[in-house]
Amino acid sequence: MDYVNAFWVGGLICALAQIVLDRTKLMPGRVMVLLVCMGALLGFCNIYQPFQEFAGAGASVPLLGFGNVLWQGVKEAVDKNGFLGIFQGGFKASAVGLSAALVFGYLASFVFEPRMKK
């Protein structure tokens, strides 16, 4: 049942983001920033953690989950380091995911021929 919940929740998040892209004049980058900020806001309100426990990867993989990871990292770093944790927490919490995206993107550039869109 965990797989089913992850599938439909993740699909619903992606479908809602696609509807926002199709029905508004918002650029994709702005929609992505909106999703990250919503994830951080839902984490701040203590709503995202129970949602993530229910949906598993369906809630942790989309950009909403990335915003929640940033929030959790900042919250832990502020508790530990005080004011400087605001600047440290997000980087520490997201370092592995961002590093993996950079490494795999670089490796993919060897497999596929990168070129500009026409």
Side-chain angles (χ1 to χ4, degrees), residues 2-118:
D2 291 339
Y3 294 122
V4 173
N5 287 338
F7 181 78
W8 76 264
V9 170
L12 183 64
I13 292 170
C14 293
L16 291 174
Q18 188 63 48
I19 289 169
V20 169
L21 284 169
D22 291 343
R23 301 287 181 196
T24 66
K25 294 186 182 205
L26 291 174
M27 300 297 290
R30 292 186 180 184
V31 173
M32 290 175 13
V33 168
L34 182 67
L35 288 169
V36 171
C37 291
M38 282 177 40
L41 182 65
L42 291 172
F44 172 76
C45 296
N46 291 323
I47 296 172
Y48 204 80
Q49 192 62 34
F51 176 63
Q52 188 171 349
E53 289 172 7
F54 168 74
S60 64
V61 172
L63 286 173
L64 287 170
F66 181 67
N68 187 47
V69 165
L70 290 175
W71 162 251
Q72 294 298 326
V74 169
K75 185 173 102 175
E76 290 173 13
V78 166
D79 291 342
K80 183 178 178 184
N81 301 326
F83 180 75
L84 288 178
I86 294 172
F87 305 105
Q88 298 170 340
F91 290 113
K92 275 186 155 180
S94 64
V96 173
L98 293 176
S99 297
L102 288 171
V103 168
F104 291 127
Y106 183 70
L107 292 175
S109 72
F110 288 121
V111 176
F112 302 101
E113 182 181 339
R115 60 177 180 258
M116 298 297 290
K117 284 186 172 181
K118 293 183 182 183

